[in-house]
Amino acid sequence: MKLPEQVTLVDVGPRDGLQNEAQPVAAVHKIELVHRLQAAGCTEIEVTSFVSPKWVPQMADNAQVLAGIQRASGVRYSVLTPNMKGLEAALAAPRAHWPHEVVVFAAASEAFSQRNINCSIAQSVERFAPVVAAAHEAGLKVRAAISCAVGCPYQGEVSADEVERVAQLMKDIGVDHCGVADTIGVGTPLRVAAAMERALKHFPLHEVSGHFHDTYGQALANILVCLEMGIHVFDSSIAGLGGCPYAKGATGNVATEDVVFMLHGMGIETGLDLHALVDAGAWISQVLGRAPVSRVSRALLAKRGLALEAPQVASA
Ligand code: HMG
Ligand code: MG
């Protein structure tokens, strides 16, 4: 079994992690989180989403957050853009504040597509086509997320055929990268491998990634099976924050700290500083008034004698 020597983690904490928070999180804290992630070595950060503020009020400060980041060299920043309005808003700022990459998100399940973005799968892809073209025109990379790639909160099981159908549609409109997402964390390794295989029929190995919510504690096993397939890009969320507002009961993405601990333990490089990540995760968890979900963070904080107390929140 030849495993990748290096893995890239896209930290989606500032977006996927925070979008589901009921309490408003101040833009300064979102910006500070991005700064802490890049200081810990993150080179890919999903910052915010240019979606309707009526649908996801927590992301209403998208432009402020994206413009407020002190950019670090070598770091790529991405944002969600579900339609042209979202892309235009992301590009309304001076070029220095543009994202490097935009994410269009469709579902492998019709029911979830309706609930999440208020249209059918086919309509969503039609809506993405001009977004992809305009993003390319602006020199941005385009990533697709295929939600509910193994299970749907409304429909139940989702077949690999349904994943392949969306992957093919995404390829047809010129998307560069295909993220396969287990939105509600019900995937187990063989089912996840089957979904990934279908994405790999349409995208090269380095342009397929896994996005695993850890609701049922399966995410690390799912990442391992992907590593065995040679997949070496994964989304993860600092402290295990998050969930999707349109997938009730779904918890956060797999915690970045947990993935890094596993990868480093396997001798796989990430370029990330685990202890700095633990600090970042403890800090944002304290901002939110709770302990990190990450098992690794909890263990390392306890070992440091900090129990689950996080460092004091820095004033803005
Ligand atoms: P809609 O209501 O069908 O859109 O929403 P519409 O075109 O009819 O517009 C309705 C109103 O929204 C109008 O305003 C538009 O201007 C405005 P009004 O005239 O009523 O004042 N509007 C916008 N405002 C700001 N930015 C925009 C935008 N678009 C329209 N981009 C829409 C369709 C897609 C906009 C809506 O359903 C939406 O924003 N959905 C977002 C849902 C979301 O963010 N879900 C979470 C992210 S996806 C996720 O977490 C999954 C992922 O992590 C992978 C996984 O785990 O599965 C990626
Ligand atoms: Mg997600």
Side-chain angles (χ1 to χ4, degrees):
M1 175 176 64
K2 172 108 174 68
L3 294 169
E5 287 170 10
Q6 198 163 14
V7 158
T8 301
L9 294 183
V10 181
D11 206 293
V12 297
R15 194 282 301 172
D16 205 344
L18 296 180
Q19 70 180 10
N20 205 30
E21 282 299 322
Q23 54 179 321
V25 180
V28 283
H29 288 140
K30 294 172 179 168
I31 293 166
E32 170 80 15
L33 177 60
V34 172
H35 290 165
R36 286 175 183 252
L37 290 172
Q38 58 197 25
C42 291
T43 53
E44 297 267 355
I45 304 175
E46 199 171 273
V47 173
T48 185
S49 54
F50 286 83
V51 296
S52 161
K54 287 181 193 143
W55 285 65
V56 186
Q58 187 64 258
M59 297 284 112
D61 57 4
N62 42 33
Q64 189 188 351
V65 171
L66 192 59
I69 296 165
Q70 279 177 16
R71 298 203 171 195
S73 70
V75 180
R76 301 180 70 257
Y77 305 92
S78 53
V79 302
L80 265 56
T81 53
N83 52 20
M84 279 305 289
K85 190 174 170 93
L87 182 74
E88 282 158 8
L91 299 184
R95 197 176 186 119
H97 298 310
W98 285 8
H100 296 90
E101 187 165 329
V102 295
V103 184
V104 293
F105 47 104
S109 132
E110 282 294 349
F112 190 78
S113 184
Q114 290 293 348
R115 297 296 217 292
N116 195 38
I117 49 175
N118 204 23
C119 60
S120 69
I121 297 171
Q123 284 168 330
S124 73
V125 177
E126 236 169 75
R127 194 182 278 176
F128 298 149
V131 177
V132 176
H136 282 161
E137 184 78 15
L140 313 184
K141 183 170 176 176
V142 183
R143 184 152 45 101
I146 303 182
S147 293
C148 296
V150 278
C152 166
Y154 311 107
Q155 175 190 308
E157 275 204 10
V158 174
S159 73
D161 286 345
E162 289 166 284
V163 176
E164 183 169 355
R165 182 177 146 236
V166 183
Q168 167 83 72
L169 290 170
M170 290 296 192
K171 185 71 189 175
D172 290 346
I173 60 166
V175 159
D176 303 296
H177 179 100
C178 181
V180 178
D182 182 7
T183 314
I184 55 171
V186 291
T188 43
L190 300 184
R191 300 209 54 229
V192 164
M196 304 308 291
E197 266 164 25
R198 297 305 188 94
L200 285 166
K201 281 192 175 180
H202 302 281
F203 290 85
L205 187 59
H206 66 283
E207 295 295 4
V208 171
S209 59
H211 174 109
F212 303 121
H213 285 260
D214 203 21
T215 317
Y216 290 81
Q218 303 298 301
L220 288 180
N222 291 332
I223 289 176
L224 183 59
V225 83
C226 290
L227 292 171
E228 288 170 357
M229 298 169 76
I231 292 165
H232 50 86
V233 184
F234 299 96
D235 293 352
S236 62
S237 177
I238 189 72
L241 299 174
C244 174
Y246 296 99
K248 202 168 185 295
T251 60
N253 275 92
V254 63
T256 306
E257 302 91 308
D258 296 0
V259 184
V260 169
F261 186 86
M262 180 180 88
L263 294 172
H264 290 184
M266 295 169 74
I268 297 173
E269 280 177 29
T270 63
L272 293 160
D273 174 342
L274 179 57
H275 287 280
L277 288 171
V278 169
D279 289 340
W283 175 81
I284 188 63
S285 298
Q286 203 208 14
V287 169
L288 301 173
R290 55 175 177 264
V293 173
S294 160
R295 300 284 291 269
V296 167
S297 266
R298 294 167 80 101
L300 290 176
L301 289 170
K303 204 169 155 188
R304 286 186 201 169
L306 290 176
L308 292 176
E309 281 175 34
Q312 288 302 301
V313 177
S315 57

